[in-house]
């Protein structure tokens, strides 16, 4: 079985486990997430590859870090750039989940934004804080009505319940580390 299929099945079984821990039916989870009951069932059975947007909606609806859906199986995990699980969207955004703790309500990610692309994440639930550090390239981050230009090794912290958009206006890929804390 290839790595993608393993990941899809792992996400599905983890989703089922988290849903049952919270004593939610598929119908109740669909109402909390905006993802249809049919799609949630297909994800749980490992029959579909969920988009990044769907995974954000599901993690927000369950009030867990996104990485909780991609639980590492070992006590020690090394996440090498480009080698671990990756979640992409059609707009030039890719993330590699690095770390998550449901107990501490934190998730860490390596994010890539292709040249001349923008990414607008799904709204985060109340009490979410995001910290972005640009590791390579330049990113323009719009939070509400204000835009901030960030260069390599610049960091920004903000309340992620506000609409925010990452933009790469350059000819080179931008690489970031994101830390998201949930309350």
């Amino acid at each position: 079985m290839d790595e993608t299929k393993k990941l899809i099945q792992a996400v599905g079984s983890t989703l089922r486990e988290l849903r049952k821990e919270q004593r939610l039916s598929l119908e109740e989870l669909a109402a909390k997430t905006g993802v249809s009951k049919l799609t949630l069932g297909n994800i749980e059975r490992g029959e579909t590859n969920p988009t990044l947007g769907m995974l954000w909606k599901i993690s927000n609806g369950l009030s867990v870090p996104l990485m909780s859906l991609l639980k590492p199986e070992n006590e020690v995990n090394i996440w090498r750039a480009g080698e671990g699980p990756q979640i992409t969207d059609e707009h030039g955004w890719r993330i590699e989940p690095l770390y998550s703790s449901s107990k501490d309500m934190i998730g860490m990610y390596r994010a890539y934004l292709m040249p001349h692309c923008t990414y607008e994440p799904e709204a985060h639930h109340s009490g979410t804080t995001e910290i972005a550090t640009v590791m390579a390239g330049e990113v323009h981050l719009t939070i509400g009505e204000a835009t901030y230009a960030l260069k390599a090794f610049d960091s920004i912290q903000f309340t992620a319940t506000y609409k925010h958009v990452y933009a790469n206006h350059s000819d080179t890929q931008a690489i970031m580390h994101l830390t998201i804390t949930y309350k």
Side-chain angles (χ1 to χ4, degrees):
M1 180 182 311
D2 73 3
E3 290 301 311
T4 301
K5 186 64 176 167
K6 283 184 198 174
L7 179 61
I8 292 168
Q9 290 181 340
V11 167
S13 63
T14 301
L15 173 57
R16 182 179 303 110
E17 181 182 308
L18 290 168
R19 178 178 61 80
K20 289 186 176 189
E21 280 176 12
Q22 294 188 22
R23 293 179 164 69
L24 296 171
S25 67
L26 281 172
E27 194 169 298
E28 291 167 325
L29 184 57
K32 288 182 81 163
T33 63
V35 177
S36 76
K37 177 181 168 184
L38 177 64
T39 299
L40 290 169
N42 287 339
I43 294 169
E44 283 191 0
R45 290 187 299 278
E47 295 173 358
T48 190
N49 187 358
T51 66
L52 179 58
M54 271 190 251
L55 292 174
W56 277 117
K57 287 179 181 180
I58 293 167
S59 68
N60 285 336
L62 290 169
S63 296
V64 298
L66 174 66
M67 184 69 177
S68 294
L69 296 170
L70 305 166
K71 276 194 219 176
E73 297 174 15
N74 307 311
E75 289 189 29
V76 175
N77 294 284
I78 297 175
W79 302 101
R80 300 195 189 281
E83 294 181 12
Q86 298 180 12
I87 304 167
T88 60
D89 79 353
E90 62 277 3
H91 305 293
W93 177 260
R94 180 177 87 228
I95 64 168
E96 296 175 347
L98 301 174
Y99 170 78
S100 177
S101 170
S102 295
K103 183 184 87 170
D104 298 326
M105 298 304 288
I106 188 171
M108 295 177 67
Y109 310 89
R110 185 180 300 116
Y112 302 85
L113 188 56
M114 298 302 119
H116 305 287
C117 289
T118 61
Y119 176 67
E120 182 177 344
E122 294 289 329
H124 297 289
H125 55 77
S126 180
T128 302
T129 299
E130 192 160 327
I131 302 166
T133 300
V134 176
M135 302 307 294
E138 186 172 328
V139 173
H140 289 84
L141 177 58
T142 302
I143 304 166
E145 301 297 318
T147 299
Y148 305 90
L150 304 169
K151 295 181 181 179
F153 306 110
D154 289 347
S155 297
I156 188 169
Q157 175 184 328
F158 60 97
T159 303
T161 51
Y162 296 115
K163 176 182 175 179
H164 55 286
V165 179
Y166 291 93
N168 179 357
H169 301 298
S170 76
D171 293 328
T172 59
Q173 172 180 257
I175 303 171
M176 295 168 280
H177 277 197
L178 305 176
T179 301
I180 302 173
T181 60
Y182 305 85
K183 285 188 180 179

